[in-house]
Amino acid sequence: MADQNALAPTDGDPPDHDTPDDRGELRGLLHAAVSAVGGVEREGQVRMAEAVAAAIEDGSHLLAQAGTGTGKSLGYLVPALAHGGRVVIATATLALQRQLVERDLPRTVDALHPRLRRRPEFATLKGRSNYLCLHRVHEGVPQDDPDLGSGLFDPFESASSQPSSKLGQDLLRLRDWADETESGDRDSLTPGVSDRAWSQVSVSARECLGAARCAYGPECFAEAARERARLAEVVVTNHALLAIDALEDAPVLPSHEVLIVDEAHELISRVTGVATGELTPGRVNRAVRLSAKLVNEQAADALQSAAESFERLLELALPGRLEPVPEDLGYALMALRDAARTVISALGATRDASVPDEDAVRRLALASVENVQEVAERITQGSEFDVVWFERHDRFGASLRVAPLSVSGLVREKVFSDRSVTLTSATLKLGGDFAGIGASLGLPPEGGGGEEGAPVWKGLDVGSPFEYRRQGILYVAKHLERPGRDGTRKDMLDELAELVEAAGGRTLGLFSSKRAAEAAATELRARLDVPVLLQGEETLGELIKRFAADEETCLFGSLSLWQGVDVPGAGCQLVVMDRIPFPRPDDPLATARQEAVEKAGGNGFMAVAATHAALLMAQGAGRLVRTTADRGVVAVLDPRLATARYGGYLRASMPDFWYTTDRNQVRRSLASIDATARSDRSKG
């Protein structure tokens, strides 16, 4: 948190300051900041800082690829702080948010204070449901909530009794934490609690009573966070809130002149997630139960009847895209939409003071019914710009989903307007240039492309401090059979076992599916005498901790391991990808987007499937080299990377490792790396 003694502007706007435009002065600021955090100034970091400063100065946009170890956080923080206007920084991961707010920003502000002659304030802002709700903590979940008010708050009623369930223990700990925490931010609670426990002490923006009507409004953690953000010069938020700010009519972020999007390779998927609507029988039935006691019998019965019809249809639904929406489903959705509208009107027209905690109950009901009405209406409107599909999950059952065919136009209109935007990541160049990521963001060709009023942007690759060709090998198992859609790949498992044995463990296995990871873990546990951890058997954080602690341990998993695993040193010297991670052939949204590109005359496969795979492979390969001392191999057990026409595009998206298809050479290299690691360990 920023210095509380700093003077904040009373009108909510940061004061104007002279912006250092001299290159030498900017370099002096950067040097001071790097020294303060104990880092090493790098050429790429200097180039990035100068490019960010130039983009801010002329109001243009920058796409900056900065490899691991470049120090990109300071590369954008220093010019942003020197600018003097309000800056919003959006990140994708909690780890980076913490690094910025708890380490980089405090040290950078302290280092730059003497030179800037001011101490910029900074604050964190997240969605309302990320903050503890004091009304929920002190008043409990409204008893009319069928999912939350099920006696789960009984532990709160008796201080002398100790609940035996994990949920009850979490709730007691949350109650005690409410008296201690200054921020109420879920991410500051250590250790964390389950989503189910947190849902009982938090509310969404729709469920909130509002500061004026809530007895705890003056103490509200979410409102306090918004106020700090309103007064701060630098606001750190997440991609989801940035997406909500772009999608909603009412802004949720304070006005700002500069936007910096870190981990920008995640932005499109996060915007798509926020723009996706979902209906499930559980959500619809919850809306029915919440509203039943608050509206007249006729309105309640109509919603109940519509919910039953919808649930019957979903019981028979087969997964896949709905093009068009079947007639019977269309009628059921129209009935659901109309009944929900009636209930919403009734909820606004009737109030009953005799109902305990009536306002909170009504807000819950209204939020739930409004969600049902909005999604049902969106699907029945049948926009050509939406994709509708059924999905079935082993645990959660069937759901009906709707998502935008593309978010590029939305991002271009809402993100790249009235402010300078810098997007940065270690993986923005796909296939060797920025064209793919630029197109996904709705940007014209670099420089504006001559289109009147188009966003003007520049791409910059500041490189990496790592010597990838000396530190790593990219090995493609060209001799293996092409992977099919189903079935176990025996030759792949044989190759995997030989590679892991040569490496002495030390392997991060990145698999295209949960089933493939499980099959590989089962096979190698039977074949080899090295520990094999499997995603899903423990929390991801605990698995990564164990993987890093024991050099001979292997960690296998699927999608979430392709990004964010940071294990430098001898613990991760072999990264294996079982196959090129194209979207599933039956993925309705990816398939629809690919078809749309082809109808427009483009190459749908390259624009959608290959781009998706390139991004994941670039991120996955980046797990290998995390420091200048790291050595190892990235092994791709899919011959198409060497033989298919798109193989060169995918390889060009990955770090520039030394490339080979020679299996014997790779085994010798792994054995040598393993021997060196064992020797170093024995000396240590």
Side-chain angles (χ1 to χ4, degrees):
M1 189 174 175
D3 184 357
Q4 292 298 306
N5 296 318
L7 294 176
T10 57
D11 61 356
D13 293 321
D16 292 327
H17 300 283
D18 293 331
T19 302
D21 55 3
D22 180 78
R23 181 171 296 186
E25 188 169 356
L26 179 63
R27 290 193 176 203
L29 291 171
L30 182 61
H31 178 75
V34 171
S35 299
V37 301
V40 177
E41 194 170 307
R42 303 188 184 280
E43 179 186 351
Q45 185 183 55
V46 175
R47 291 176 59 205
M48 180 177 177
E50 292 175 347
V52 173
I56 292 173
E57 182 66 22
D58 61 21
S60 63
H61 311 299
L62 176 68
L63 272 62
Q65 175 161 293
T68 303
T70 303
K72 63 181 168 63
S73 296
L74 292 185
Y76 60 70
L77 281 179
V78 170
L81 290 171
H83 166 64
R86 180 178 281 128
V87 178
V88 167
I89 301 172
T91 74
T93 62
L94 172 61
L96 182 54
Q97 288 177 41
R98 281 181 170 167
Q99 176 187 315
L100 287 171
V101 175
E102 297 177 8
R103 191 190 74 177
D104 292 350
L105 270 167
R107 295 179 183 180
T108 303
V109 166
D110 286 344
L112 301 189
H113 177 214
R115 290 172 172 266
L116 295 178
R117 297 183 299 280
R118 73 182 199 278
R119 184 180 293 277
E121 284 202 48
F122 54 90
T124 304
L125 185 62
K126 304 174 184 179
R128 188 172 292 272
S129 61
N130 289 278
Y131 298 98
L132 195 78
C133 172
L134 291 172
H135 186 277
R136 278 279 177 92
V137 170
H138 294 297
E139 306 299 331
V141 177
Q143 292 302 302
D144 288 56
D145 189 327
D147 296 324
L148 302 181
S150 306
L152 296 176
F153 265 76
D154 291 346
F156 283 14
E157 297 173 6
S158 174
S160 60
S161 63
Q162 290 296 320
S164 57
S165 71
K166 177 67 165 59
L167 178 61
Q169 293 168 3
D170 281 346
L171 291 174
L172 276 178
R173 189 156 63 86
L174 283 167
R175 182 189 64 181
D176 294 338
W177 182 67
D179 295 330
E180 303 167 359
T181 178
E182 294 183 4
S183 68
D185 185 342
R186 180 181 183 179
D187 294 328
S188 66
L189 175 65
T190 305
V193 296
S194 67
D195 290 344
R196 189 181 181 195
W198 184 258
S199 68
Q200 298 194 50
V201 295
S202 65
V203 295
S204 67
R206 283 184 168 178
E207 295 168 342
C208 177
L209 293 173
R213 295 172 57 190
C214 179
Y216 303 92
E219 306 165 65
C220 178
F221 293 118
E223 290 298 319
R226 292 184 66 178
E227 181 63 14
R228 286 193 295 270
R230 188 180 72 84
L231 299 175
E233 188 172 309
V234 179
V235 178
V236 179
T237 188
N238 52 49
H239 287 185
L241 200 63
L242 177 62
I244 292 170
D245 186 69
L247 292 168
E248 300 291 336
D249 294 331
V252 294
L253 293 172
S255 61
H256 50 282
E257 299 82 39
V258 178
L259 170 64
I260 296 170
V261 183
D262 204 339
E263 302 168 311
H265 61 277
E266 289 273 18
L267 181 60
I268 292 300
S269 64
R270 299 300 172 97
V271 174
T272 299
V274 170
T276 298
E278 181 180 27
L279 282 178
T280 66
R283 290 189 180 188
V284 175
N285 288 328
R286 181 172 186 261
V288 171
R289 294 193 298 270
L290 282 170
S291 60
K293 295 181 180 180
L294 301 173
V295 299
N296 61 67
E297 185 176 349
Q298 183 178 2
D301 287 348
L303 186 58
Q304 174 72 53
S305 177
E308 291 172 353
S309 298
F310 175 73
E311 185 169 7
R312 284 195 297 271
L313 285 172
L314 256 66
E315 287 175 354
L316 304 174
L318 297 176
R321 185 179 178 186
L322 303 176
E323 188 185 24
V325 173
E327 188 176 18
D328 55 352
L329 178 60
Y331 285 133
L333 289 171
M334 285 189 284
L336 199 58
R337 174 201 63 191
D338 295 342
R341 282 178 181 167
T342 301
V343 169
I344 290 169
S345 297
L347 285 170
T350 60
R351 310 195 73 81
D352 186 352
S354 66
V355 177
D357 205 12
E358 199 264 356
D359 278 346
V361 173
R362 189 174 298 275
R363 289 297 297 177
L364 273 175
L366 193 59
S368 187
V369 179
E370 282 178 343
N371 177 258
V372 170
Q373 184 268 328
E374 288 172 5
V375 178
E377 182 164 38
R378 178 178 173 184
I379 297 175
T380 56
Q381 285 177 343
S383 170
E384 62 179 307
F385 302 111
D386 272 340
V387 180
V388 182
W389 73 95
F390 276 129
E391 197 166 277
R392 188 171 293 279
H393 191 281
D394 292 341
R395 180 179 175 186
F396 303 110
S399 66
L400 179 64
R401 311 194 80 191
V402 55
L405 184 61
S406 171
V407 297
S408 59
L410 173 69
V411 171
R412 170 172 166 159
E413 177 188 357
K414 299 293 188 180
V415 174
F416 293 94
S417 60
D418 303 324
R419 56 190 168 188
S420 171
V421 182
T422 291
L423 297 101
T424 184
S425 168
T427 49
L428 285 182
K429 288 177 69 175
L430 301 179
D433 59 44
F434 292 96
I437 192 70
S440 72
L441 295 164
L443 296 175
E446 186 173 350
E451 183 183 339
E452 185 176 353
V456 177
W457 64 280
K458 175 184 177 182
L460 174 68
D461 182 359
V462 302
S464 168
F466 304 145
E467 297 182 72
Y468 284 118
R469 294 185 68 80
R470 293 173 60 89
Q471 292 184 245
I473 297 172
L474 172 60
Y475 164 60
V476 180
K478 185 178 178 180
H479 62 283
L480 297 180
E481 294 183 6
R482 290 168 61 100
R485 291 188 61 178
D486 301 304
T488 300
R489 299 170 57 201
K490 184 179 183 304
D491 61 341
M492 185 276 289
L493 292 174
D494 291 340
E495 181 81 9
L496 174 64
E498 291 178 16
L499 290 170
V500 172
E501 186 173 28
R506 316 175 196 279
T507 301
L508 176 64
L510 306 177
F511 293 84
S512 53
S513 69
K514 179 181 177 182
R515 180 168 29 173
E518 291 172 346
T522 300
E523 185 76 12
L524 263 65
R525 283 168 174 170
R527 289 195 191 194
L528 303 180
D529 188 25
V530 295
V532 178
L533 306 176
L534 178 63
Q535 183 181 0
E537 293 183 343
E538 290 187 50
T539 65
L540 188 56
E542 181 61 26
L543 288 173
I544 294 174
K545 182 179 178 181
R546 288 179 58 190
F547 177 53
D550 181 3
E551 290 183 3
E552 296 184 356
T553 294
C554 301
L555 173 58
F556 290 179
S558 53
L559 189 58
S560 57
L561 290 187
W562 289 71
Q563 306 180 68
V565 177
D566 188 2
V567 179
C572 182
Q573 295 185 329
L574 173 62
V575 174
V576 178
M577 304 178 195
D578 70 326
R579 62 191 297 165
I580 297 172
F582 292 124
R584 296 191 330 268
D586 60 350
D587 183 320
L589 186 56
T591 301
R593 288 177 168 176
Q594 190 165 314
E595 291 174 356
V597 173
E598 291 168 355
K599 287 180 181 177
N603 187 324
F605 171 78
M606 292 301 296
V608 179
T611 297
H612 176 273
L615 183 57
L616 277 178
M617 295 187 80
Q619 285 287 312
R623 301 311 98 205
L624 181 69
V625 176
R626 309 302 295 175
T627 73
T628 55
D630 289 346
R631 301 289 187 275
V633 173
V634 172
V636 181
L637 309 186
D638 187 335
R640 294 175 296 177
L641 189 62
T643 60
R645 285 182 297 175
Y646 51 77
Y649 171 81
L650 298 177
R651 294 197 303 272
S653 304
M654 302 166 73
D656 187 26
F657 296 126
W658 186 74
Y659 171 63
T660 186
T661 58
D662 186 337
R663 59 192 303 196
N664 294 322
Q665 174 63 54
V666 166
R667 281 158 179 71
R668 289 194 296 270
S669 297
L670 284 170
S672 175
I673 294 170
D674 176 40
T676 301
R678 292 178 185 276
S679 174
D680 291 344
R681 186 173 59 184
S682 64
K683 291 177 183 178

